[in-house]
């Protein structure tokens, strides 16, 4: 029998540069699990140098972040998609093999209040337009998806109400009503401002109508949305050539969704998260709970036949209290 390997031969005994090079090659989907190994790993995974190494090695990935409000009066909780270790299944004939994806909670000290329509992701950061007051504010806060910390960013030049934000060409476009200086009431039109993260500056753009961006996403210059039907979730896309919405072919997700279905551009694919209440699911101390489901859909544009969707995988990724509300899904690049 051979003696156990000494501690000096463990992976943590490797030189820092070599260890960082190894971890940088691991998929970001395994980082939540790696953070549980030790304090040293948690520190390494929050290091900016690790993500610089990932960039140099061309290992950057799209990473979904999910914002949930577990209780109505609580600040939101954040989760990220991760891979769980492979597990053997005992009854494969009755149960399909799970995808292996789950939502892992992100530890964040003092997350700020927010409204879901004011959250956007650019690069490795998530921006919250609204700061401490989600209904009226000019402030801007930034969530670093590498270190999982919030910080303040330059404020908007104008106080905005009912703000909704989106991203185009790496710039953040914010639509919101503004107060009329003479009447002290809200203007009927909406101001549009663009924030350039690279410059750290705001720019006024145009006036336009307000729209909620929660249940929409843009992928390769095509706008997608969903219809919640009795028998499942149906997808549609906006055809700019004929100026109307069209049904996506070949795809309807099963289940009966509740109020919240959220879409996001997941590296050219579509990430879909939705709530699915099941009456028989109850906590041991009473009260309903529901499941959060996730699907990743590949998209194909066929000549003269519209856009077809194919489910790459879908699975139950988290069980939450019945009071939980799915707020937003954002995809950062880390």
């Amino acid at each position: 029998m051979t003696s156990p390997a000494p501690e000096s031969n463990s992976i943590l005994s490797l030189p820092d540069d070599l260890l960082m090079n190894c971890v940088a090659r691991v998929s970001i989907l395994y980082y939540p699990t790696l953070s549980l190994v030790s304090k040293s790993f948690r520190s390494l995974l929050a290091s900016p140098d690790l993500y610089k190494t990932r960039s140099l090695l061309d290992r950057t990935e799209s990473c979904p972040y999910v914002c949930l409000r577990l209780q109505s009066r609580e600040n939101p909780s954040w989760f990220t998609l991760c891979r769980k270790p492979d597990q053997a299944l005992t009854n494969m004939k009755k149960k399909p093999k799970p995808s292996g994806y789950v939502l892992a909670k992100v530890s964040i000290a003092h997350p700020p209040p927010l409204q879901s329509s004011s959250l956007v992701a650019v690069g490795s950061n998530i921006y919250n337009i609204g700061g401490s007051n989600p209904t009226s504010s000019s402030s801007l806060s930034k969530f670093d998806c590498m270190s999982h910390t919030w910080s303040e960013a330059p404020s908007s030049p104008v106080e905005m109400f009912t703000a909704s934000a989106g991203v185009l060409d790496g710039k953040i476009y914010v639509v919101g009503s503004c107060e009329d200086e003479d009447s002290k009431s809200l203007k009927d039109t909406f101001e549009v401002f663009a924030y350039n993260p690279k410059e750290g500056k705001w720019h006024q753009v145009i006036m336009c109508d307000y729209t909620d961006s929660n249940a929409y996403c843009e992928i390769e210059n095509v706008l997608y949305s969903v219809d919640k039907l009795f028998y499942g979730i149906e997808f549609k896309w906006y055809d700019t050539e004929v100026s109307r919405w069209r049904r996506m072919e070949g795809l309807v997700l099963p289940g009966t969704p509740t109020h919240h279905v959220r879409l996001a551009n997941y590296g050219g694919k579509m990430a879909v998260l939705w709530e699915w209440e099941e009456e028989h699911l109850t906590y041991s101390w009473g009260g309903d709970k529901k499941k959060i489901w996730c699907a990743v859909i590949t998209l194909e544009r066929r000549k003269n036949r519209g856009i077809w969707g194919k489910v790459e995988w879908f699975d139950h990724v988290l069980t939450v209290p019945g009071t939980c509300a799915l707020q937003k899904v954002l995809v950062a690049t880390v």
Side-chain angles (χ1 to χ4, degrees):
M1 294 181 62
T2 57
S3 59
E7 183 65 24
S8 59
N9 289 334
S10 70
I11 189 172
L12 292 176
S13 67
L14 294 174
D16 291 345
D17 290 346
L18 182 56
L19 177 60
M20 184 172 296
N21 194 282
C22 292
V23 176
R25 297 173 186 272
V26 177
S27 171
I28 199 75
L29 293 171
Y30 290 100
Y31 279 21
T33 302
L34 286 176
S35 68
L36 303 176
V37 173
S38 66
K39 291 183 179 180
S40 298
F41 264 93
R42 284 195 293 276
S43 177
L44 173 62
L45 296 176
S47 168
D49 291 335
L50 172 63
Y51 297 93
K52 290 179 183 177
T53 304
R54 287 179 59 85
S55 180
L56 291 173
L57 294 173
D58 195 25
R59 293 281 179 165
T60 55
E61 299 174 63
S62 298
C63 184
Y65 281 83
V66 180
C67 178
L68 299 174
R69 193 177 298 278
L70 299 178
Q71 301 291 338
S72 60
R73 296 184 179 181
E74 290 182 356
N75 284 345
S77 297
W78 289 85
F79 294 79
T80 186
L81 192 67
C82 75
R83 294 282 292 178
K84 58 184 177 182
D86 293 335
Q87 296 179 353
L89 299 180
T90 57
N91 197 350
M92 291 297 294
K93 292 184 179 180
K94 294 184 178 180
K95 293 183 179 181
K97 185 177 180 180
S99 66
Y101 293 92
V102 293
L103 287 179
K105 190 169 184 178
V106 179
S107 178
I108 304 174
H110 310 297
L114 54 84
Q115 59 176 347
S116 56
S117 62
S118 296
L119 287 169
V120 292
V122 180
S124 62
N125 296 315
I126 292 173
Y127 293 85
N128 174 28
I129 293 90
S132 59
N133 187 344
T135 59
S136 167
S137 182
S138 60
S139 63
L140 176 71
S141 55
K142 179 178 70 173
F143 178 65
D144 187 332
C145 296
M146 297 181 290
S147 62
H148 289 167
T149 56
W150 284 96
S151 61
E152 293 299 316
S155 298
S156 165
V158 174
E159 185 90 358
M160 291 178 288
F161 296 76
T162 59
S164 182
V167 176
L168 182 64
D169 294 330
K171 295 181 180 179
I172 302 171
Y173 288 80
V174 183
V175 184
S177 58
C178 301
E179 187 178 67
D180 187 285
E181 294 183 0
D182 297 326
S183 63
K184 299 302 179 181
S185 61
L186 294 182
K187 295 180 182 178
D188 293 333
T189 54
F190 290 84
E191 300 281 356
V192 181
F193 290 86
Y195 177 71
N196 190 326
K198 293 183 178 180
E199 297 178 1
K201 295 180 180 180
W202 288 85
H203 303 279
Q204 188 171 11
V205 187
I206 55 173
M207 310 285 255
C208 76
D209 295 331
Y210 172 80
T211 182
D212 189 353
S213 61
N214 281 336
Y216 296 83
C217 76
E218 178 272 328
I219 303 174
E220 296 182 354
N221 297 320
V222 178
L223 185 64
Y224 294 87
S225 185
V226 293
D227 281 332
K228 294 175 288 182
L229 307 176
F230 175 75
Y231 55 84
I233 305 171
E234 187 175 83
F235 297 84
K236 57 186 180 180
W237 60 281
Y238 191 75
D239 190 337
T240 56
E241 293 184 2
V242 295
S243 300
R244 68 179 178 89
W245 288 97
R246 296 181 59 183
R247 179 176 173 269
M248 186 191 296
E249 301 294 335
L251 177 66
V252 175
L253 285 177
T256 305
T258 57
H259 300 88
H260 304 107
V261 181
R262 298 292 182 251
L263 309 179
N265 183 343
Y266 187 17
K269 303 176 183 180
M270 183 189 294
V272 188
L273 278 92
W274 69 100
E275 302 171 355
W276 190 349
E277 290 182 346
E278 298 186 28
E279 294 181 358
H280 67 277
L281 293 177
T282 57
Y283 287 112
S284 58
W285 59 87
D288 294 334
K289 62 181 178 179
K290 54 191 171 186
K291 292 181 177 181
I292 303 295
W293 286 75
C294 178
V296 172
I297 298 168
T298 56
L299 305 167
E300 179 186 358
R301 186 146 198 171
R302 299 183 182 180
K303 188 176 181 180
N304 300 325
R305 296 186 64 184
I307 296 178
W308 285 68
K310 181 180 179 182
V311 176
E312 187 173 283
W313 64 265
F314 82 97
D315 207 349
H316 158 229
V317 291
L318 186 67
T319 300
V320 294
T323 55
C324 174
L326 175 59
Q327 298 284 292
K328 191 82 169 182
V329 181
L330 301 125
V331 178
T333 303
V334 288

